[in-house]
């Protein structure tokens, strides 16, 4: 079984989840389009001041659709950035450990050299 863990995060699962979020975003967009289509038909069947008010309220409400879509895409982007940031963080920690190890080796050699003298 091959898994790709990155600092405690399963990179493959994160990427799979990101793709699922993107697919869900597309499906939600389709649903919003279907609602829009039905709402555009409403004045053909229902003519009244309350219908007009309902349509005006819907027009104001539907502005939230773009915010919802943008937020979902943002979640998708955040997941992919998470993987990249984890890689960067792990590279930085690895570099710090390598530097620390080299410093300790250098100090140990210096102590050995002093003890030999």
């Amino acid at each position: 079984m091959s898994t790709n863990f990155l600092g405690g995060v399963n990179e493959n699962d994160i990427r799979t989840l990101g793709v699922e979020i993107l697919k869900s975003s597309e499906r939600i967009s389709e649903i919003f389009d279907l609602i829009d289509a039905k709402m555009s038909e409403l004045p053909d069947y229902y003519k009244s001041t309350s219908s007009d008010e309902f349509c005006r309220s819907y027009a104001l409400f539907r502005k939230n659709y773009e915010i919802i879509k943008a937020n979902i895409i943002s979640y998708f982007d955040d997941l992919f950035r998470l993987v990249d940031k984890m890689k960067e963080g792990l590279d930085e920690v690895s570099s710090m450990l390598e530097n620390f190890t080299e410093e300790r080796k250098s100090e140990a050699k210096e102590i050995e050299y002093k003890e030999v003298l």
Side-chain angles (χ1 to χ4, degrees), residues 3-18:
T3 58
N4 193 1
F5 281 96
L6 182 66
V9 174
N10 187 319
E11 183 178 357
N12 293 333
D13 285 353
I14 293 289
R15 293 196 186 280
T16 299
L17 180 59

Side-chain angles (χ1 to χ4, degrees), residues 19-33 69 72-73:
V19 170
E20 288 300 316
I21 288 172
L22 195 57
K23 287 179 184 177
S24 295
S25 170
E26 292 168 0
R27 179 64 184 135
I28 288 169
S29 187
E30 290 170 2
I31 291 169
F32 288 161
D33 290 343
K69 291 178 200 176
I72 293 171
I73 297 300

Side-chain angles (χ1 to χ4, degrees), residues 21-82:
I21 288 172
L22 195 57
K23 287 179 184 177
S24 295
S25 170
E26 292 168 0
R27 179 64 184 135
I28 288 169
S29 187
E30 290 170 2
I31 291 169
F32 288 161
D33 290 343
L34 290 171
I35 294 170
D36 281 344
K38 290 298 179 186
M39 287 300 296
S40 69
E41 294 173 4
L42 186 64
D44 295 338
Y45 300 100
Y46 187 53
K47 297 181 189 309
S48 71
T49 55
S50 60
S51 172
D52 295 342
E53 181 60 34
F54 181 69
C55 289
R56 278 192 294 276
S57 294
Y58 176 75
L60 291 173
F61 175 76
R62 88 166 300 288
K63 292 178 184 179
N64 294 311
Y65 290 177
E66 294 308 315
I67 295 168
I68 292 167
K69 291 178 200 176
N71 285 343
I72 293 171
I73 297 300
S74 175
Y75 300 147
F76 166 79
D77 291 340
D78 289 346
L79 282 174
F80 278 80
R81 274 196 300 269
L82 169 69

